[in-house]
Structure formats: C-alpha cells, structure tokens
C-alpha cells in the first residue's frame, strides 16, 4: 500500500493507483496518474467536423430578405415603367405610335370622339403618371398604393386587349406553325408581367391596411 498522502486527492487518481497495486503493476506517482486520468470529453469542442459546420447554414434564413428585395423590384420597377411611358405619352411620336392601338380598341377608341390624337395620348399619360405616384406612396399610405395598384391592373388589362383588337398584330412566320406577335405585339406582351406586378402590389397593400402598425413592414 502507498502512504496515505500518495492516495489523497482526486477519486479517479486514487482509483487508478489502487488498481495498479491490486494487479501487481508498478505503482505510479500521483502526477502521472493524474495525467492518465483526463476525461475524454474534457474538450468536446476541440475538434469539429467541417461537414457539420457547413450544415449549420440554413438557406431558408434568406427567404425574408429575398421576398423584401423581390417586392421592392416589382413595385418600384412598375413605378419606373409607368413614369417613363406615361411621360412619353406627351410627345407627338408616342401619340402617333399608339393611335392604331387606341383607334381599334373597344375600351379606348371613344377618346378620339372627345379629343384629338394628341389629347387622347395626353389623357393616357396623365392616368399612368397618377397611378405611378399612388403606387410609389406605399411607405406613407397603403391605401393610396392599393388604389394605384388597382388602377395599374386596369391599365394593363386594357393594353393587353390590344393584342386581340389590333389588326395585323399577329403574323405567320415561315417554318413555324403558330402565329406570333409582330414588333408592336412583342412590346405589348411585357404587360403580362407588369399586370402580375400590379396584382401583387394591390394584394400586399390591401393586406397592409388591416395589418397592425406594430408589425407592418412597408416597402
């Protein structure tokens, strides 16, 4: 047996020393026994699996930021297009360019009975600029943005009817079995996506009207 002062201290050390004595193994000093009795989980985070570290990244965490960014692009991209082409309506070139579309439209042809070609183009331009201003006010007034977005829906529904009402806008191309839109028609097709943006903007603004102010996140 070792002296009492050799076995006092950590229970694990005492146990290691006594075990060596019972098995006939040469006794070891207290310091060596202590070194050999370090628990295996003393440093559990000393080695990490690289795969486990990468697994901590959750792509779903990006969803809110992506949704906010996408909404901003839809809303203010829509505003920019309405402002650009709304202002362009006040030029003689654009007034003449939209005349064939408006004259054959069952929804807008009546404008020429009330005013001139330039006058009708000016009216359309004013409507587009007003709609753009209302949508852009979303941060300050969801109600204004909702009204403007619904107005934009009406604008793009009207322009998309030009694809049906305008003669010659669909043409046959050799080697392709279906009619395709000409240059003017191809330009009008973009309004399908603008209509989608206007519908999204209207829905988001209408929801925000009834959302508690503490949780509202205007964009």
């Amino acid at each position: 047996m070792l002296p009492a002062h050799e076995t006092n201290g950590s229970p694990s050390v005492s146990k290691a020393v006594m075990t060596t004595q019972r098995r006939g193994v040469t006794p070891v000093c207290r310091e060596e026994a202590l070194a050999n009795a370090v628990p295996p989980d003393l440093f559990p985070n000393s080695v990490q699996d690289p795969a486990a570290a990468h697994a901590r990244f959750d792509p779903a965490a990006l969803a809110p930021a992506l949704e906010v960014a996408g909404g901003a692009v839809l809303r203010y991209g829509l505003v920019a297009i309405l402002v650009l082409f709304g202002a362009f309506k006040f030029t003689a070139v654009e007034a003449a360019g939209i005349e064939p579309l408006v004259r054959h439209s069952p929804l807008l042809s009546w404008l020429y009975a009330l005013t001139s070609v330039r006058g009708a183009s000016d009216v359309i331009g004013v409507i587009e600029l007003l709609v753009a201003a209302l949508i852009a006010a979303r941060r300050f007034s969801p109600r204004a943005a909702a009204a403007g977005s619904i107005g934009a829906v009406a604008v793009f529904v009207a322009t998309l009817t030009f694809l049906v009402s305008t003669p010659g806008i669909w043409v046959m191309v050799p080697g392709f079995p279906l009619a395709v839109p000409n240059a003017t028609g191809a330009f009008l097709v973009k309004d399908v996506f603008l209509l989608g943006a206007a519908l999204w903007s209207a829905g988001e603004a209408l929801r925000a009207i009834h959302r508690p102010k503490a949780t509202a996140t205007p964009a």
Side-chain angles (χ1 to χ4, degrees):
M1 296 293 290
L2 292 177
H5 71 275
E6 293 281 350
T7 59
N8 288 340
S10 172
S12 61
V13 175
S14 301
K15 183 178 180 180
V17 173
M18 294 176 67
T19 301
T20 58
Q21 291 176 340
R22 287 197 298 268
R23 293 181 180 178
V25 180
T26 302
V28 295
C29 65
R30 183 172 180 271
E31 289 74 10
E32 184 177 353
L34 180 62
N36 294 331
V38 176
D41 59 344
L42 183 60
F43 304 103
N45 298 323
S46 58
V47 179
Q48 293 184 349
D49 184 3
H54 288 292
R56 292 179 181 178
F57 174 72
D58 184 8
L62 295 175
L66 291 175
E67 290 177 355
V68 171
V73 171
L74 285 175
R75 174 172 287 119
Y76 297 108
L78 176 61
V79 169
I81 291 174
L82 285 168
V83 169
L84 176 63
F85 289 102
F88 194 39
K89 294 293 189 299
F90 293 94
T91 66
V93 173
E94 178 68 355
I98 67 172
E99 181 181 4
L101 304 175
V102 176
R103 193 170 294 282
H104 291 95
S105 171
L107 300 177
L108 299 176
S109 59
W110 57 270
L111 286 172
Y112 289 144
L114 300 179
T115 184
S116 63
V117 171
R118 287 291 302 272
S121 184
D122 290 348
V123 169
I124 296 173
V126 169
I127 292 173
E128 291 180 349
L129 291 176
L130 177 60
V131 166
L134 290 173
I135 296 174
R138 164 64 181 87
R139 181 174 294 274
F140 310 102
S141 174
R143 293 182 183 277
S149 299
I150 293 172
V153 169
V155 167
F156 295 121
V157 167
T159 58
L160 286 172
T161 63
F162 296 159
L163 292 170
V164 179
S165 61
T166 306
I169 207 165
W170 293 92
V171 297
M172 296 300 300
V173 177
F176 193 73
L178 301 176
V180 296
N182 60 14
T184 302
F187 176 77
L188 291 173
V189 167
K190 76 177 190 316
D191 289 358
V192 173
F193 303 98
L194 295 176
L195 174 61
L199 288 168
W200 171 85
S201 180
E204 191 280 335
L206 287 171
R207 188 185 308 112
I209 293 174
H210 304 287
R211 185 185 307 162
K213 292 184 178 181
T215 60
T217 55

